[in-house]
Amino acid sequence: MASDTAAIDRLQASIVDGRTENGRYRQDQLQRLHRILREEASQIIAALVADSKSSSSEVDAEYYLGMEAVRHFYDSLDFEKDLNEEYSVTRGEDNLGRRIGAGLVVIRPTTHTRFYSIVTPLAAAIAAGNCVILELSETLSQVDSVLRQALTKALDINTFYVSKTTTDQSILDDAILVDQTSDAPPSTLTSQLLSSSQTRCVAIVDRSANIDEAARAITAARFNFGGSSPYAPDLVLVNEFVKKEFFEACSRYATLSFAKDSSVRKVGGDRSEHVQKAIKDAEDKKQVSSFGSNEFKLVDVLDKSSPIMDLKITGRYLPIATCSSLTDAIYNRDFENPLLAGYFFAELGSAKYLAHFLPCHISLINQIPTHLLVGPAAPTAHAPDLQHRYSRDMFSVARPQFVQKPPAALQKADELLSGGPNKGGVTASALREAATQPLAPVKQSSNKAIGFFEQGILTGAALYMSIILPVVGYSTYFLGRKGVEYALKFRR
């Protein structure tokens, strides 16, 4: 405890003296971070393989993406540009984009893709100019052991510290808490960088989608990384007209995937036991039927009142239910607001409709990128960073600096209050006249564009007319001909 207190005192002293604001210092720390992670690559990868249920290729992908995140945040630092902006006010220029580090960042990482989940926010926090406390409790995790030793060795002890836990509320109140383990609803995650790990992801497959590509993307997202990614789809709603085709494609891709990669670990452990039990209970009640093997299960939801429809899934289980239309998919379920992610597989017009009316923290159309499955859920109270989950802005605060005079329109009030026309300013009547000028007319378009629903109506009308008109025309011709023949016969 005494060592914790001394370490935190050092960090707080560094915050006061502002050493992390120096661009060269931040570059140096990120260089040190990247170097130690390169040097310890073999140990880190071996530890990841030992700790996780991921395949060797998934571990390699996680390590690569973590290193790319460090590179990204290092490349985002431009010392010459930052220095130029810092002294812009001395040249009479506003420094509107000035941001400084928030001070102290506490990182509480998730167990899913542990390496990436630690390295990415750490690099972002350093790049933004912060001191960092990384929470690594005493466990049997080999990754934690390797990283605890490596990071402590590489980074400045005055600005970085590894702690078992941070319980001092006064410290947490003054820090940015990156909590990737939170299970609070997204509506409460507003003041800190908290990951809503229990918020669901939903995929919708319309009849206009490329069914084969949709099945491949969805099964990969659900079954890769042990099915433990917070961004793995928890429910698939597929149009009833293409359900059979989609289900068969999912089965084919899942079977091929597990047959090809023999290094994939079997799913087990406490994390997915509650899901396994829920599916078994639903099967007993004839609400669902499942198909698969020891490695994966496709769950066909027969009764939409089943609790499976609202369950956050862990493990390699993929619930699939039907919907009759886009409207049915959106409005006949009570989804979280917002969902963590929405995956929409459809032609672009239909996908736009889904993304517009179904609230999601991020919406992805006809894709589920692999890198999204690595790492924690993004903080939902902030603008999402699709590539790295965290951004420098999340770890800094705006501190703009102004030196230029305000625009002429705003200076008029100052001219009136500082003396009016007697001192070369404006009169009250002139100011009122300016204030009561009407707004510019709205540049409204002629509404000649055809919208989504109008296109549907026109398509339906075209199909209707293409069937009805030929029938009516042929009937008229046939009856007219018979009538003429009958009239001629009668005259004879």
Side-chain angles (χ1 to χ4, degrees), residues 20-88:
T20 58
E21 294 182 24
N22 183 281
R24 290 291 188 224
Y25 178 84
R26 287 179 276 159
Q27 287 178 326
D28 176 69
Q29 290 298 293
L30 288 173
Q31 281 275 11
R32 290 171 178 266
L33 174 61
H34 197 265
R35 185 183 305 116
I36 196 67
L37 296 179
R38 293 198 314 268
E39 293 172 353
E40 301 291 332
S42 298
Q43 292 89 327
I44 291 171
I45 290 174
L48 287 171
V49 170
D51 284 352
S52 72
K53 298 172 184 174
S54 300
S55 66
S56 57
S57 58
E58 289 170 341
V59 166
D60 286 332
E62 179 186 350
Y63 177 77
Y64 167 77
L65 290 170
M67 297 299 283
E68 277 298 297
V70 179
R71 187 186 307 277
H72 164 76
F73 289 113
Y74 175 77
D75 290 343
S76 72
L77 296 176
D78 187 333
F79 180 76
E80 299 299 333
K81 179 184 175 185
D82 290 346
L83 192 65
N84 184 61
E85 291 177 349
E86 180 181 346
Y87 286 92
S88 60

Side-chain angles (χ1 to χ4, degrees), residues 314-391:
T314 53
R316 297 189 178 107
Y317 304 95
L318 180 62
I320 302 171
T322 59
C323 60
S324 59
S325 64
L326 301 180
T327 303
D328 179 35
I330 295 172
Y331 295 110
N332 289 342
R333 296 300 308 169
D334 188 16
F335 294 116
E336 296 93 322
N337 188 0
L339 289 163
L340 184 62
Y343 308 120
F344 306 126
F345 293 86
E347 58 86 21
L348 295 182
S350 300
K352 185 267 178 190
Y353 176 79
L354 290 167
H356 186 88
F357 288 104
L358 188 60
C360 303
H361 190 230
I362 57 171
S363 298
L364 290 104
I365 295 172
N366 295 325
Q367 61 172 321
I368 307 179
T370 298
H371 75 265
L372 186 64
L373 307 175
V374 179
T380 53
H382 299 262
D385 187 304
L386 180 62
Q387 295 182 347
H388 302 288
R389 228 66 99 245
Y390 298 97
S391 66

Side-chain angles (χ1 to χ4, degrees), residues 122-418:
L122 174 60
I126 291 173
N130 295 280
C131 296
V132 179
I133 297 175
L134 172 62
E135 291 188 359
L136 295 179
S137 57
E138 293 289 349
T139 66
L140 298 177
S141 168
Q142 295 187 32
V143 175
D144 286 11
S145 177
V146 172
L147 289 181
R148 182 184 291 108
Q149 183 177 356
L151 297 179
T152 302
K153 173 184 175 182
L155 299 177
D156 185 354
I157 62 171
N158 294 303
T159 57
F160 174 78
Y161 178 62
V162 178
S163 172
K164 294 179 182 178
T165 185
T166 306
T167 56
D168 189 333
Q169 193 59 45
S170 64
I171 294 173
L172 294 174
D173 288 342
D174 292 335
I176 287 182
L177 174 62
V178 183
D179 188 353
Q180 301 170 358
T181 65
S182 173
D183 57 2
S187 59
T188 67
L189 309 178
T190 55
S191 60
Q192 300 286 7
L193 299 182
L194 309 184
S195 298
S196 183
S197 57
Q198 292 303 305
T199 304
R200 295 184 305 150
C201 301
V202 172
I204 298 177
V205 182
D206 183 52
R207 63 192 300 180
S208 64
N210 184 317
I211 303 303
D212 194 69
E213 289 185 2
R216 179 166 52 187
I218 290 170
T219 53
R222 181 67 264 171
F223 299 140
N224 284 351
F225 299 98
S228 61
S229 172
Y231 284 100
D234 300 292
L235 175 67
V236 181
L237 294 175
V238 59
N239 187 281
E240 57 192 3
F241 290 100
V242 294
K243 178 191 174 183
K244 183 175 182 293
E245 180 185 354
F246 176 76
F247 203 95
E248 290 174 350
C250 286
S251 175
R252 182 173 67 255
Y253 279 115
T255 303
L256 287 173
S257 174
F258 288 104
K260 179 179 66 175
D261 194 347
S262 59
S263 65
V264 172
R265 315 281 185 86
K266 286 184 170 57
V267 177
D270 296 337
R271 294 186 63 194
S272 59
E273 278 185 359
H274 74 285
V275 177
Q276 188 175 6
K277 183 179 184 301
I279 292 174
K280 179 66 169 59
D281 291 344
E283 284 181 319
D284 293 342
K285 296 176 182 178
K286 309 298 183 184
Q287 295 175 333
V288 305
S289 64
S290 63
F291 164 82
S293 64
N294 292 332
E295 285 80 21
F296 72 92
K297 293 285 185 185
L298 300 179
V299 182
D300 186 5
V301 180
L302 308 174
D303 182 354
K304 292 183 182 179
S305 66
S306 170
I308 301 299
M309 292 286 289
D310 302 309
L311 190 63
K312 179 67 178 177
I313 303 295
T314 53
R316 297 189 178 107
Y317 304 95
L318 180 62
I320 302 171
T322 59
C323 60
S324 59
S325 64
L326 301 180
T327 303
D328 179 35
I330 295 172
Y331 295 110
N332 289 342
R333 296 300 308 169
D334 188 16
F335 294 116
E336 296 93 322
N337 188 0
L339 289 163
L340 184 62
Y343 308 120
F344 306 126
F345 293 86
E347 58 86 21
L348 295 182
S350 300
K352 185 267 178 190
Y353 176 79
L354 290 167
H356 186 88
F357 288 104
L358 188 60
C360 303
H361 190 230
I362 57 171
S363 298
L364 290 104
I365 295 172
N366 295 325
Q367 61 172 321
I368 307 179
T370 298
H371 75 265
L372 186 64
L373 307 175
V374 179
T380 53
H382 299 262
D385 187 304
L386 180 62
Q387 295 182 347
H388 302 288
R389 228 66 99 245
Y390 298 97
S391 66
R392 283 176 59 185
D393 285 356
M394 293 181 186
F395 296 91
S396 61
V397 291
R399 293 291 185 267
Q401 298 169 326
F402 299 91
V403 65
Q404 294 184 351
K405 298 294 184 183
L410 299 181
Q411 290 189 52
K412 291 183 182 297
D414 186 57
E415 291 173 7
L416 176 66
L417 296 177
S418 62

